[in-house]
Amino acid sequence: PLVYSRQQLAEALGIDPSTLDRWTASGRIGPRPLRISGPRGRVLYSRGEVEDWLRAGAPPAEEWRARQAARKR
């Protein structure tokens, strides 16, 4: 799959989905969530970005985004 669901990412990280939500809100999770609107709105995470983030040592969101921006220059 090209994306992780909220549940799948939480399982991959060994945490509860509610913890993933808190970590995302606090900036601890680097990959940006992709929010899909609709009656059953979903939150997805790019598998490639998650894997890159984990290989980089899972830095906080601010640091992760700065690294990505620097790489694009």
Side-chain angles (χ1 to χ4, degrees), residues 29-51:
I29 298 291
R32 292 180 193 265
L34 310 166
R35 299 187 189 283
I36 309 299
S37 62
R40 294 181 54 192
R42 297 189 61 193
V43 176
L44 303 173
Y45 294 83
S46 163
R47 185 179 200 95
E49 184 178 0
V50 168
E51 290 172 356

